[in-house]
PDB file of all heavy atoms in Angstrom:
ATOM      1  N   ALA A  31      -7.212  38.259  -4.467  1.00 95.00           N
ATOM      2  CA  ALA A  31      -7.679  38.759  -3.179  1.00 95.00           C
ATOM      3  C   ALA A  31      -8.532  37.751  -2.447  1.00 95.00           C
ATOM      4  O   ALA A  31      -8.762  37.868  -1.248  1.00 95.00           O
ATOM      5  CB  ALA A  31      -8.477  40.079  -3.391  1.00 95.00           C
ATOM      6  N   ASN A  32      -9.018  36.745  -3.173  1.00 96.00           N
ATOM      7  CA  ASN A  32      -9.895  35.755  -2.562  1.00 96.00           C
ATOM      8  C   ASN A  32      -9.119  34.644  -1.835  1.00 96.00           C
ATOM      9  O   ASN A  32      -9.709  33.736  -1.292  1.00 96.00           O
ATOM     10  CB  ASN A  32     -10.841  35.143  -3.623  1.00 96.00           C
ATOM     11  CG  ASN A  32     -10.082  34.681  -4.843  1.00 96.00           C
ATOM     12  OD1 ASN A  32      -8.868  34.892  -4.946  1.00 96.00           O
ATOM     13  ND2 ASN A  32     -10.757  34.057  -5.757  1.00 96.00           N
ATOM     14  N   VAL A  33      -7.769  34.689  -1.874  1.00 97.00           N
ATOM     15  CA  VAL A  33      -6.976  33.729  -1.087  1.00 97.00           C
ATOM     16  C   VAL A  33      -6.731  34.322   0.297  1.00 97.00           C
ATOM     17  O   VAL A  33      -6.027  35.307   0.446  1.00 97.00           O
ATOM     18  CB  VAL A  33      -5.622  33.446  -1.785  1.00 97.00           C
ATOM     19  CG1 VAL A  33      -4.790  32.500  -0.896  1.00 97.00           C
ATOM     20  CG2 VAL A  33      -5.834  32.834  -3.156  1.00 97.00           C
ATOM     21  N   ASP A  34      -7.376  33.717   1.294  1.00 95.00           N
ATOM     22  CA  ASP A  34      -7.245  34.260   2.643  1.00 95.00           C
ATOM     23  C   ASP A  34      -5.856  33.998   3.258  1.00 95.00           C
ATOM     24  O   ASP A  34      -5.267  34.864   3.841  1.00 95.00           O
ATOM     25  CB  ASP A  34      -8.302  33.622   3.556  1.00 95.00           C
ATOM     26  CG  ASP A  34      -9.633  34.391   3.448  1.00 95.00           C
ATOM     27  OD1 ASP A  34      -9.605  35.512   2.931  1.00 95.00           O
ATOM     28  OD2 ASP A  34     -10.675  33.802   3.864  1.00 95.00           O
ATOM     29  N   ASP A  35      -5.390  32.765   3.152  1.00 94.00           N
ATOM     30  CA  ASP A  35      -4.137  32.417   3.827  1.00 94.00           C
ATOM     31  C   ASP A  35      -3.509  31.207   3.109  1.00 94.00           C
ATOM     32  O   ASP A  35      -4.210  30.454   2.422  1.00 94.00           O
ATOM     33  CB  ASP A  35      -4.432  32.057   5.309  1.00 94.00           C
ATOM     34  CG  ASP A  35      -3.141  32.057   6.117  1.00 94.00           C
ATOM     35  OD1 ASP A  35      -2.105  32.603   5.674  1.00 94.00           O
ATOM     36  OD2 ASP A  35      -3.175  31.487   7.250  1.00 94.00           O
ATOM     37  N   VAL A  36      -2.207  31.055   3.265  1.00 95.00           N
ATOM     38  CA  VAL A  36      -1.493  29.888   2.715  1.00 95.00           C
ATOM     39  C   VAL A  36      -0.636  29.314   3.838  1.00 95.00           C
ATOM     40  O   VAL A  36       0.015  30.048   4.580  1.00 95.00           O
ATOM     41  CB  VAL A  36      -0.578  30.313   1.544  1.00 95.00           C
ATOM     42  CG1 VAL A  36       0.246  29.120   1.046  1.00 95.00           C
ATOM     43  CG2 VAL A  36      -1.388  30.903   0.402  1.00 95.00           C
ATOM     44  N   ARG A  37      -0.672  28.018   3.962  1.00 93.00           N
ATOM     45  CA  ARG A  37       0.233  27.294   4.902  1.00 93.00           C
ATOM     46  C   ARG A  37       1.122  26.393   4.050  1.00 93.00           C
ATOM     47  O   ARG A  37       0.610  25.576   3.275  1.00 93.00           O
ATOM     48  CB  ARG A  37      -0.552  26.456   5.900  1.00 93.00           C
ATOM     49  CG  ARG A  37      -1.571  27.215   6.684  1.00 93.00           C
ATOM     50  CD  ARG A  37      -0.986  28.082   7.762  1.00 93.00           C
ATOM     51  NE  ARG A  37      -0.455  27.299   8.904  1.00 93.00           N
ATOM     52  CZ  ARG A  37       0.169  27.884   9.922  1.00 93.00           C
ATOM     53  NH1 ARG A  37       0.368  29.205   9.928  1.00 93.00           N
ATOM     54  NH2 ARG A  37       0.637  27.171  10.901  1.00 93.00           N
ATOM     55  N   GLN A  38       2.448  26.521   4.207  1.00 94.00           N
ATOM     56  CA  GLN A  38       3.356  25.674   3.465  1.00 94.00           C
ATOM     57  C   GLN A  38       3.674  24.428   4.295  1.00 94.00           C
ATOM     58  O   GLN A  38       3.759  24.498   5.510  1.00 94.00           O
ATOM     59  CB  GLN A  38       4.641  26.445   3.162  1.00 94.00           C
ATOM     60  CG  GLN A  38       5.669  25.633   2.409  1.00 94.00           C
ATOM     61  CD  GLN A  38       6.862  26.478   1.976  1.00 94.00           C
ATOM     62  OE1 GLN A  38       6.705  27.622   1.603  1.00 94.00           O
ATOM     63  NE2 GLN A  38       8.037  25.883   2.046  1.00 94.00           N
ATOM     64  N   GLY A  39       3.833  23.295   3.595  1.00 96.00           N
ATOM     65  CA  GLY A  39       4.139  22.065   4.327  1.00 96.00           C
ATOM     66  C   GLY A  39       5.008  21.112   3.529  1.00 96.00           C
ATOM     67  O   GLY A  39       5.583  21.481   2.504  1.00 96.00           O
ATOM     68  N   LYS A  40       5.088  19.898   4.011  1.00 97.00           N
ATOM     69  CA  LYS A  40       5.906  18.875   3.336  1.00 97.00           C
ATOM     70  C   LYS A  40       5.004  17.657   3.032  1.00 97.00           C
ATOM     71  O   LYS A  40       4.053  17.393   3.775  1.00 97.00           O
ATOM     72  CB  LYS A  40       7.056  18.387   4.255  1.00 97.00           C
ATOM     73  CG  LYS A  40       8.025  19.476   4.647  1.00 97.00           C
ATOM     74  CD  LYS A  40       9.221  18.868   5.362  1.00 97.00           C
ATOM     75  CE  LYS A  40      10.198  19.913   5.843  1.00 97.00           C
ATOM     76  NZ  LYS A  40      10.004  20.302   7.217  1.00 97.00           N
ATOM     77  N   TYR A  41       5.362  16.948   1.982  1.00 98.00           N
ATOM     78  CA  TYR A  41       4.541  15.817   1.539  1.00 98.00           C
ATOM     79  C   TYR A  41       5.448  14.612   1.348  1.00 98.00           C
ATOM     80  O   TYR A  41       6.509  14.689   0.717  1.00 98.00           O
ATOM     81  CB  TYR A  41       3.866  16.202   0.223  1.00 98.00           C
ATOM     82  CG  TYR A  41       3.253  15.063  -0.534  1.00 98.00           C
ATOM     83  CD1 TYR A  41       2.181  14.356   0.014  1.00 98.00           C
ATOM     84  CD2 TYR A  41       3.692  14.693  -1.791  1.00 98.00           C
ATOM     85  CE1 TYR A  41       1.590  13.299  -0.669  1.00 98.00           C
ATOM     86  CE2 TYR A  41       3.096  13.661  -2.497  1.00 98.00           C
ATOM     87  CZ  TYR A  41       2.068  12.971  -1.925  1.00 98.00           C
ATOM     88  OH  TYR A  41       1.488  11.946  -2.601  1.00 98.00           O
ATOM     89  N   PHE A  42       5.075  13.478   1.900  1.00 98.00           N
ATOM     90  CA  PHE A  42       5.854  12.260   1.799  1.00 98.00           C
ATOM     91  C   PHE A  42       4.982  11.122   1.249  1.00 98.00           C
ATOM     92  O   PHE A  42       3.830  11.002   1.633  1.00 98.00           O
ATOM     93  CB  PHE A  42       6.369  11.826   3.200  1.00 98.00           C
ATOM     94  CG  PHE A  42       7.182  12.874   3.917  1.00 98.00           C
ATOM     95  CD1 PHE A  42       6.539  13.832   4.702  1.00 98.00           C
ATOM     96  CD2 PHE A  42       8.553  12.928   3.792  1.00 98.00           C
ATOM     97  CE1 PHE A  42       7.268  14.803   5.343  1.00 98.00           C
ATOM     98  CE2 PHE A  42       9.283  13.896   4.483  1.00 98.00           C
ATOM     99  CZ  PHE A  42       8.637  14.841   5.245  1.00 98.00           C
TER     100      PHE A  42
END
Side-chain angles (χ1 to χ4, degrees):
Chain A
N32 50 354
V33 177
D34 275 344
D35 195 16
V36 176
R37 304 285 288 175
Q38 179 173 321
K40 299 188 183 97
Y41 167 64
F42 304 87

